[in-house]
Amino acid sequence: MSGVFSVLEALGSVAEVDQALRKLNGTHREPGRTQAEGPANGNASCLEALARVAWSRLTEPGDRIAGMLIGRYGAPKALELAIDSRDPRTLHARIRSESDLELTPKVLAQALARWKPRYSVDAIRQDLRASIRNGASLLLPSDHAWPDGFADLGEHAPILLWVRGNPELLRTPSVAIVGARACTGYGSTVTAELTDAACNMGATVVSGAAYGIDAVAHRVALGNDGATVAVLAGGVDRPYPAAHTELLATIAQRGAVVSEMVPGAAPTRWRFLQRNRIIAALAAATLVTEAGVRSGSLNTAGHAAALGRELGAVPGPVTSSASAGCHALIRDYGAALITNAEELRILAGAPESGFARPERVGRGGPAPSRGGNQRSRSRASAEQGTEPVRRPGSGERAEPVASQEAGQSRGETALHRRLLDALPLRGARSEHEAARLAGVSNRDARVGYAELLILGHVARDETFAHEERRWKLRG
């Protein structure tokens, strides 16, 4: 395992690294295991954790190829194959001889081209130090606090989670409450009432800490002395939006703030869309309380529907464009119409007496099993923005619900969004550096920026004509 051991050698001895990892990953082991023990022994646990930290830096959220390799070989061995490989064709031949993974040489070569520029031992060291400094912990799939619902994400499941707060809450019965950032007074009121109902039934409230509906849900849950989990699109040490720094600090103290992104990672549109799959997977039911037809919360609803979770929406005034997305979910996508606490209880699958309050869950003991009646589950295609499947009437053609983030232009692809996010708001960036930040190959960046140039979204920076291509956003 030269790939992982080379990291260990650079970072220090196994004992030194394990001591750091104990601080990050010792509070949510199974009862009876010591902090240094993992699934097998201390060294194996150290290698597994370190390899997953490295993978979380190499990949963008929902990377299917990384998920396939880690699932087949384990994180340490998969890291060794990815980092030490010099010839994608030779690696492909080896993988084919050892497994039944359906990978083409081209897809594997593209994945390696995405990952290798991001591999940095110094950056991994900084990730570990930043986590310890900010009081974050690591949550691995081998930990008993790892959410069972992540299994439904298949190869798109998070590689690990960085957690500030109590990771045990991730296994409690939960309801995701999401909606528009630019909510109305009506939206705030119904969100507060239904969040209060969720807390009273003993459910953990999961949301994304954004402006509007998300913030109302978190604040009401905290005010009700209930449990709440905030899922971020950037690092757990990077509050976003900045205006919610105090709110997120309070959630970390009394609930949990989680992310699959390494510390310091910036939130981008692509990461917001992928973050939504975690919100949907954590909860037994997702409730959209107010959303327009272009609200990003419809993307979360799409993931919930694809995962077989219960989906509900709150109706609003028929004249309000702010509720048009909720009306579409109810009318066309089979979402349950939710107007009161009893209807929410049924949606969440809670008994009449409610769930056990999450506060009763200790950090060292097992959490209650997730409640909720769930439909037959299917794995979401997390590489793309997952959308609810419309149920057409007679003579109608099924069409996807609009689940784009507000402001997304027509004609943009997932690759385009990632490449645009990699450019600074002011100034320019080299094509190679933008590709590294976006987590794509140099070839994909070259093709993608050429397309964006034609679409009018970017321009070539001719300031330093003798250097490699540099791109900037077109104002």
Side-chain angles (χ1 to χ4, degrees):
M1 295 182 186
S2 56
V4 180
F5 280 114
S6 66
V7 179
L8 279 172
E9 187 175 322
L11 293 177
S13 68
V14 171
E16 291 170 335
V17 176
D18 186 60
Q19 184 176 8
L21 290 173
R22 284 193 202 184
K23 298 179 181 178
L24 294 172
N25 200 23
T27 60
H28 36 267
R29 291 292 183 192
E30 290 185 22
R33 284 187 178 173
T34 65
Q35 290 182 333
E37 289 178 338
N41 54 60
N43 285 358
S45 176
C46 177
L47 291 176
E48 178 72 15
L50 188 59
R52 287 185 177 271
V53 169
W55 272 114
S56 70
R57 171 156 288 280
L58 265 58
T59 62
E60 282 293 306
D63 192 313
R64 184 177 65 90
I65 309 305
M68 293 172 68
L69 292 178
I70 294 172
R72 170 61 179 83
Y73 292 102
K77 182 65 175 179
L79 182 65
E80 175 195 355
L81 294 174
I83 299 305
D84 293 348
S85 172
R86 290 181 172 82
D87 182 6
R89 290 172 298 181
T90 301
L91 177 58
H92 179 263
R94 175 177 176 178
I95 292 174
R96 286 200 63 181
S97 67
E98 296 176 349
S99 70
D100 58 354
L101 295 181
E102 296 181 359
L103 285 176
T104 65
K106 179 180 178 181
V107 168
L108 184 60
Q110 291 173 340
L112 294 175
R114 293 196 304 268
W115 301 335
K116 286 193 174 184
R118 289 185 163 191
Y119 182 70
S120 168
V121 172
D122 287 339
I124 296 171
R125 181 189 293 112
Q126 292 171 9
D127 293 338
L128 295 174
R129 289 175 176 172
S131 296
I132 294 172
R133 185 168 59 250
N134 290 283
S137 62
L138 292 178
L139 188 64
L140 308 180
S142 57
D143 295 324
H144 85 275
W146 186 259
D148 291 336
F150 283 175
D152 298 327
L153 292 170
E155 295 152 350
H156 303 291
I159 294 171
L160 58 71
L161 287 180
W162 306 81
V163 183
R164 290 177 60 207
N166 185 0
E168 304 291 345
L169 294 177
L170 303 183
R171 286 182 59 87
T172 58
S174 305
V175 174
I177 299 179
V178 296
R181 289 172 171 83
C183 64
T184 66
Y186 167 81
S188 296
T189 299
V190 296
T191 300
E193 291 176 354
L194 292 171
T195 300
D196 183 70
C199 293
N200 290 337
M201 74 174 71
T204 297
V205 175
V206 180
S207 199
Y211 288 120
I213 298 300
D214 290 15
V216 173
H218 289 306
R219 289 194 170 103
V220 171
L222 292 170
N224 192 285
D225 201 26
T228 187
V229 173
V231 185
L232 304 186
V236 294
D237 61 337
R238 186 166 181 163
Y240 187 88
H244 286 174
T245 298
E246 184 177 346
L247 171 63
L248 287 166
T250 303
I251 295 173
Q253 292 172 356
R254 298 170 53 186
V257 176
V258 305
S259 175
E260 62 186 313
M261 298 302 304
V262 296
T268 65
R269 284 183 295 174
W270 172 257
R271 292 170 183 172
F272 275 115
L273 293 172
Q274 292 300 300
R275 178 275 307 270
N276 293 341
R277 83 192 195 285
I278 296 181
I279 294 177
L282 281 175
T286 292
L287 176 66
V288 183
T289 56
E290 186 178 53
V293 293
R294 293 176 61 82
S295 171
S297 62
L298 300 187
N299 178 262
T300 307
H303 284 293
L307 291 169
R309 302 299 196 264
E310 297 296 335
L311 176 62
V314 177
V318 296
T319 56
S320 174
S321 61
S323 292
C326 291
H327 297 159
L329 290 175
I330 296 168
R331 181 183 63 245
D332 301 327
Y333 303 97
L337 190 151
I338 304 298
T339 63
N340 56 46
E342 177 62 14
E343 291 169 351
L344 179 59
R345 182 191 68 78
I346 295 172
L347 182 77
E352 292 186 4
S353 59
F355 299 115
R357 295 282 288 189
E359 290 86 348
R360 299 176 188 175
V361 181
R363 292 177 67 90
S369 60
R370 185 184 302 283
N373 298 323
Q374 298 181 358
R375 296 185 295 269
S376 174
R377 297 171 177 172
S378 61
R379 291 182 177 176
S381 176
E383 286 289 338
Q384 305 296 328
T386 306
E387 300 167 339
V389 179
R390 180 178 182 181
R391 297 165 184 168
S394 176
E396 292 183 297
R397 181 173 59 87
E399 296 178 353
V401 67
S403 62
Q404 299 173 316
E405 290 286 298
Q408 180 180 319
S409 303
R410 295 178 66 88
E412 285 184 21
T413 65
L415 173 63
H416 292 163
R417 292 196 295 272
R418 292 167 71 168
L419 290 174
L420 289 173
D421 288 339
L423 295 181
L425 294 178
R426 295 182 179 179
R429 180 163 285 149
S430 71
E431 190 173 277
H432 175 75
E433 178 65 8
R436 186 187 70 83
L437 291 174
V440 303
S441 67
N442 289 333
R443 179 184 179 280
D444 285 345
R446 184 168 61 253
V447 173
Y449 279 125
E451 294 171 346
L452 287 169
L453 179 64
I454 296 172
L455 291 171
H457 296 313
V458 301
R460 284 280 298 272
D461 179 26
E462 307 293 349
T463 306
F464 303 99
H466 62 283
E467 295 184 354
E468 67 171 305
R469 283 185 296 271
R470 294 170 62 84
W471 298 96
K472 60 184 179 180
L473 296 172
R474 177 167 289 173

